[in-house]
Amino acid sequence: MKRTSRNNITNLKPVEKVELDESNVKRRLILTVLALAVAGVAIGYGISTLTSSSKGWNTIEVNSSAQLNSGSEFTFSYYLGKNGSPTAERKALSLLYTEACEQAYADFDDYNIYEGINNIRYINEHPNQKIQVSDYLYASLSKMVGKGGRYLYLGPLYEIYCNVLYTDNDTSAELYDVCYSEEYRDFAQQLLSYINNSENVELELLGNNTISLNISQEYYDYCKANGVKSLISFSWLRNAFIIDFLAGKIMSAGYNNGNLASCDGYAINFGGQETIFNLFDWSSNNIFQAGSMAIKEKENIINLKSFPLTQEDNDYYIYQDGIIRTAHISNDDIYNIDRHPESLIAYSKDVACADIVLEIMADYLNKDFNYSDFGKYVSKGIQSIYIKDKMISFTEKGQVIDYDKDNYTIEHFE
């Protein structure tokens, strides 16, 4: 599938500003991204054609014959020819990347059952049973249980809120939006009363890659009566785990001259080549590039934001009046989906993307959080940048940010 999205990481000159017209906001965003793709900058890495094997930056795609896979949600850019034949490297990387994307998609799939694969969908359909899963899915579930609080169990709320995020008109969105619909507000509150009680739902880690999703009879009956199928879900955290898996597979095979970026803001630079990470902001229904920073070494990066960045970054709905709904549901506040435009970038050389987001998301999901408190994460190896109200705030000493001095100010937190 041809990608037509803008990622944060790029090997090209950054875009300074994207203006949108006065028509439907969500369609405007998609059309703008498509226009940028034609200009050669939306993809970020778009330096080569699919068949080119010349030395230099190339986009590595999954094989066209691949099964369901995560490739359409990621851009994999690699500098071919530095350590051998560009053609041979492309062939090997394409095969490796395809297999990894297929495996990751199957493991984390909320919707489909695969023969011989006990994935998230399979777990949801077999509560109160011992189930053996893959090494990586077990490790990922272990992180969610150990560091993610009750977020893993918000699957029912994500399932409901897809009716808001994926609709194409305000009337349909309002029917399921807890900020408008009293019926679904009460439904969400009832679900949360079950979700926040470990006696109703709890994933048990049994060792040897074996788990059991323990559900009370009362909660099971309630979900069944209301058509709820997703008892657990990684939702918007999914690609944080998948990008760690994909990059791990690629780098463990000895390929370090590239970078990988998801459509929804997760990125990893492998360390062999310098890249640029773009900092985006949202104001008056426009996407702005607020700045950029050079990434010269290995870096794991996440970008949590209250606005969509790419065509495939679709866990958002934008009302005609400019109000944005996000998938960033909190188990403490069902209204958390209504957020002020903001962007939080957190990055680390040693902490994986999934671990970064699990470490900081409780603060990010708190509407009243104070960014100056993010200095506490520096001691854990996590630096951050926060963009809100035309201010770029950052924690890393010596970090050089090339920013739009006409529209933004910048400050450093110790």
Side-chain angles (χ1 to χ4, degrees), residues 112-322:
N112 301 295
I113 293 290
Y114 301 78
E115 184 176 356
I117 298 177
N118 296 333
N119 64 357
I120 296 299
R121 184 64 177 181
Y122 185 90
I123 296 170
N124 280 322
E125 291 189 359
H126 296 81
N128 301 317
Q129 297 182 29
K130 292 182 179 180
I131 300 170
Q132 191 166 51
V133 299
S134 69
D135 292 348
Y136 191 73
L137 183 54
Y138 186 83
S140 300
L141 289 168
S142 298
K143 287 184 179 182
M144 286 292 287
V145 170
K147 300 178 180 179
R150 304 296 295 173
Y151 294 110
L152 179 65
Y153 310 113
L154 289 172
L157 291 184
Y158 294 131
E159 185 177 337
I160 294 169
Y161 228 70
C162 284
N163 293 299
V164 177
L165 303 176
Y166 300 155
T167 191
D168 60 0
N169 65 83
D170 287 5
T171 301
S172 296
E174 290 176 3
L175 290 175
Y176 300 92
D177 189 335
V178 296
C179 296
Y180 292 112
S181 170
E182 182 177 355
E183 177 185 359
Y184 276 91
R185 182 162 59 249
D186 292 342
F187 186 30
Q189 293 284 19
Q190 182 61 51
L191 282 170
L192 277 180
S193 70
Y194 285 112
I195 289 168
N196 287 328
N197 187 341
S198 61
E199 293 183 1
N200 287 314
V201 55
E202 188 77 11
L203 187 80
E204 186 177 3
L205 303 167
L206 301 171
N208 193 31
N209 293 344
T210 303
I211 59 91
S212 175
L213 179 58
N214 300 325
I215 305 292
S216 71
Q217 189 64 47
E218 180 183 351
Y219 184 40
Y220 177 79
D221 291 342
Y222 182 81
C223 288
K224 186 175 181 180
N226 289 279
V228 173
K229 298 179 180 180
S230 296
L231 299 171
I232 62 171
S233 175
F234 284 81
S235 187
W236 59 273
L237 299 173
R238 175 174 172 268
N239 280 340
F241 289 87
I242 290 180
I243 198 170
D244 287 340
F245 175 77
L246 298 178
K249 286 287 187 181
I250 296 166
M251 289 188 288
S252 64
Y255 297 101
N256 298 304
N257 297 311
N259 48 61
L260 190 64
S262 74
C263 62
D264 51 351
Y266 302 106
I268 295 178
N269 187 46
F270 302 165
Q273 295 289 324
E274 179 178 345
T275 56
I276 299 296
F277 188 85
N278 297 320
L279 311 175
F280 290 104
D281 192 15
W282 179 275
S283 179
S284 302
N285 294 332
N286 293 319
I287 295 175
F288 292 85
Q289 182 171 323
S292 64
M293 62 179 180
I295 306 295
K296 298 181 180 180
E297 301 175 331
K298 183 182 182 301
E299 207 81 70
N300 305 308
I301 311 170
I302 70 167
N303 186 186
L304 303 181
K305 53 204 167 26
S306 59
F307 54 87
L309 184 61
T310 70
Q311 178 187 5
E312 293 174 344
D313 187 8
N314 54 13
D315 278 347
Y316 300 84
Y317 182 75
I318 306 173
Y319 283 99
Q320 289 292 329
D321 60 5

